[in-house]
Amino acid sequence: MTTRVRFAPSPTGHLHVGGARTALFNWLFARGRDGDFILRIEDTDQSRSTEASIDQIKESLSWMRLTWDEYYRQTERSGNYEEKADLLLNRDRVYEKEGALWFRVPAEETVLVKDQVLGRVKFETEDLKDFVIRRSDGTFTYNFACAADDSEMEISHVMRGDDHLNNTPKQILIYEALDLEPPKFAHFPMILGEDHKRLSKRHGATSVLNYREKGILPEGLTNFLARLGWSHGDKEIFSRQELIEYFSLDNVGESSAVFDEEKLLWINHQWMKRKDPEKLGRTLKKFLLEETSIREDQLDELEKTRLTKLAEHFRERNKTLRKLAKSSDFVFSRNIDYDETPIEDHLTEESAELVGELAKRLEEVPEEDFKAEKLEEITRDFLASRDKGLGDIAQVCRVGLTGREVSPGLFITMELVGKDRVTDRLTRVATTTPGVD
Ligand code: GLU
């Protein structure tokens, strides 16, 4: 039997990380079994569904590269529901009251859910009341539309958050009433916030696009979400291929996973460091525009190699793309703010003189040779000629060039900042009154 799974969001808001994890688990399950992954928009409740939300759901899934093989909207499928409702009406399994159609829950039955994650869960029909399947306005309710579609779409496994576990017996009863074989079910424990309460907006950013805005890579978010409730030994970092290969319901835990923002940052950092620098550079563009003084036209002119080097040398210290961009502002800004890290705190009479002399030498380097290796050679030769070492001026140069005490290597920093600004900034260092003896 072909594996067919679906992700069935109600388009009433953003796609949050809980939904994204459900989508991911379904997608991995399908891809690992050569099956189909279906996106079904459950928009029968038209008062709460919006087109904007549908767009955001699709954009979020696309950004995470969770591609779907088939796409449906429940509002376009009422024929299917009408047909099945008629069948149930004929069989006297539903009845009409006050304009609505009600499902007749059989008395004194036990409905057994053989859940692939949670195990066997029993429900007594005594505890279930008759429920509406079609509202008086003619729209169908979730449980009915869901079961009608899952059967019609030949879904083999229904996998969703355990907040839906209580709906499952109702859906099984609908299958039985229609003489249809129910699919297999798997319910994933909820994701909790760090306070061990169910993850919600109160916990800060919870939508997928919000994490994209924060500068999280899709590889990072996907890897992190995969580990929320699923494990494969002690392994933490998984490529997409590995996730597809290793994912199975056997290793989905029965207890809730806690959303640990620090861990997300750590995993994201691992992916930033693994990513091809050229590609990383491309994803940086938007953040550079937002976080640095670079203008759009300058960004367009920024050479690919420069962008690539920027990505490569700034990623070590930054766990998100946004932070990376922000920390590189000194490369693009005309003026540096030295208020927090004053040059004079690192400057002596002697280093001022040395830096002044170095600035003159660097001034002579042709623009096209202004590259890290060459700059290192010139600097070291000059210092050696004065019986000095890099340690005598490195820190004050760094502060002068960047306004900070930490930065990428001194020479790549020089290369990225560019000749004119390097000589200007070093001249400024040389003309500052030293604050250290
Ligand atoms: N529309 C439901 C939701 O968004 C789908 C539940 C299911 O997967 O059956 O929660």
Side-chain angles (χ1 to χ4, degrees):
M1 192 172 136
T2 325
T3 297
R4 285 175 59 83
V5 297
R6 84 307 190 271
F7 176 54
S10 305
T12 55
H14 299 278
L15 178 64
H16 54 82
V17 288
R21 185 196 58 169
T22 298
L24 174 65
F25 282 9
N26 275 281
W27 186 88
L28 292 172
F29 191 79
R31 292 293 173 261
R33 298 161 154 239
D34 213 8
D36 298 319
F37 174 72
I38 292 158
L39 175 58
R40 183 173 78 218
I41 303 292
E42 302 209 321
D43 55 350
T44 56
D45 184 351
Q46 283 175 294
S47 62
R48 295 178 63 224
S49 303
T50 66
E51 292 302 314
S53 167
I54 295 177
D55 290 345
Q56 287 204 358
I57 290 167
K58 288 188 193 165
E59 190 177 341
S60 306
L61 294 176
S62 301
W63 178 68
M64 291 175 70
R65 293 200 289 125
L66 303 181
T67 46
W68 50 93
D69 306 301
E70 292 167 34
Y71 174 76
Y72 303 98
R73 281 178 73 153
Q74 286 194 322
T75 42
E76 293 165 1
R77 300 180 53 79
S78 49
N80 179 36
Y81 316 139
E82 293 292 356
E83 197 182 297
K84 291 192 167 58
D86 280 349
L87 205 73
L88 294 186
L89 207 51
N90 288 338
R91 292 180 181 173
D92 198 31
R93 301 301 305 266
V94 299
Y95 58 90
E96 198 163 348
K97 193 175 81 185
E98 289 162 13
L101 270 190
W102 292 72
F103 185 85
R104 206 188 293 283
V105 173
E108 292 180 35
E109 270 185 30
T110 303
V111 182
L112 178 66
V113 179
K114 287 185 233 154
D115 193 276
Q116 311 264 306
V117 170
L118 305 175
R120 295 157 79 87
V121 189
K122 276 185 191 166
F123 293 86
E124 301 302 329
T125 54
E126 261 167 40
D127 302 329
L128 304 174
K129 293 194 184 77
D130 289 358
F131 55 90
V132 172
I133 66 161
R134 193 178 69 197
R135 302 179 190 95
S136 52
D137 66 2
T139 59
F140 286 86
T141 58
Y142 160 68
N143 278 308
F144 186 72
C146 180
D149 273 343
D150 285 339
S151 65
E152 197 65 22
M153 294 173 188
E154 298 182 341
I155 299 300
S156 59
H157 298 73
V158 165
M159 306 194 286
R160 56 192 170 199
D162 70 2
D163 49 338
H164 284 288
L165 183 61
N166 286 332
N167 289 319
T168 305
K170 294 183 186 172
Q171 294 177 11
I172 290 176
L173 289 172
I174 294 170
Y175 276 93
E176 284 172 357
L178 287 166
D179 268 337
L180 295 166
E181 185 72 24
K184 292 194 161 68
F185 289 95
H187 290 89
F188 306 128
M190 289 288 100
I191 299 173
L192 304 180
E194 276 165 59
D195 55 2
H196 289 251
K197 302 227 169 74
R198 196 181 149 175
L199 191 69
S200 75
K201 290 202 189 83
R202 284 178 301 111
H203 295 93
T206 60
S207 87
V208 168
L209 295 182
N210 226 313
Y211 284 102
R212 179 176 73 175
E213 268 305 290
K214 280 189 153 189
I216 298 293
L217 287 170
E219 294 90 330
L221 186 63
T222 309
N223 188 156
F224 172 73
L225 290 179
R227 285 285 293 106
L228 276 182
W230 171 81
S231 59
H232 183 78
D234 292 337
K235 195 169 156 69
E236 289 292 358
I237 303 299
F238 295 87
S239 69
R240 179 149 299 230
Q241 214 38 54
E242 287 172 324
L243 286 177
I244 293 173
E245 199 173 309
Y246 301 148
F247 183 80
S248 97
L249 294 178
D250 298 342
N251 297 321
V252 174
E254 280 170 53
S255 47
S256 297
V258 173
F259 192 97
D260 175 353
E261 191 99 22
E262 276 306 311
K263 182 166 172 191
L264 169 61
L265 291 175
W266 179 78
I267 290 183
N268 193 56
H269 198 204
Q270 303 307 309
W271 279 105
M272 280 171 64
K273 290 194 274 191
R274 277 172 168 76
K275 204 170 168 84
D276 168 46
E278 193 181 318
K279 289 193 185 135
L280 189 65
R282 278 202 295 272
T283 61
L284 268 184
K285 285 187 167 181
K286 157 197 156 69
F287 296 101
L288 289 175
L289 261 187
E290 291 173 8
E291 295 295 334
T292 75
S293 39
I294 197 166
R295 295 191 316 262
E296 198 140 11
D297 55 323
Q298 292 172 314
L299 188 66
D300 292 340
E301 281 167 23
L302 194 63
E303 286 168 50
K304 197 166 75 190
T305 50
R306 200 142 169 257
L307 194 59
T308 304
K309 282 186 182 170
L310 190 108
E312 194 174 353
H313 291 279
F314 279 82
R315 64 180 165 185
E316 197 55 47
R317 292 177 187 283
N318 295 287
K319 294 181 185 169
T320 67
L321 302 171
R322 189 171 288 285
K323 290 232 167 79
L324 192 163
K326 201 179 170 95
S327 77
S328 74
D329 186 40
F330 65 82
V331 171
F332 305 104
S333 62
R334 189 175 290 276
N335 298 309
I336 301 254
D337 179 359
Y338 295 103
D339 283 356
E340 265 179 43
T341 319
I343 294 172
E344 54 268 31
D345 290 0
H346 298 267
L347 195 67
T348 61
E349 291 277 351
E350 186 178 48
S351 58
E353 190 271 329
L354 287 168
V355 172
E357 198 55 41
L358 176 65
K360 282 185 204 148
R361 310 241 163 159
L362 296 180
E363 191 119 42
E364 285 158 23
V365 181
E367 196 94 43
E368 64 274 18
D369 291 345
F370 213 81
K371 297 279 181 285
E373 231 173 84
K374 180 85 182 162
L375 300 171
E376 174 157 12
E377 187 188 311
I378 292 171
T379 306
R380 288 196 189 272
D381 284 352
F382 160 67
L383 290 167
S385 76
R386 302 284 299 269
D387 255 349
K388 297 287 169 195
L390 200 52
D392 294 302
I393 61 162
Q395 195 57 4
V396 76
C397 285
R398 184 188 304 280
V399 171
L401 292 172
T402 69
R404 298 150 188 252
E405 284 174 3
V406 284
S407 77
L410 183 60
F411 301 107
I412 186 69
T413 296
M414 286 184 181
E415 177 182 330
L416 288 168
V417 169
K419 182 176 169 181
D420 288 349
R421 286 181 180 167
V422 167
T423 50
D424 282 357
R425 289 177 195 176
L426 291 185
T427 305
R428 172 172 184 153
V429 171
T431 53
T432 299
T433 310
V436 184
D437 292 332

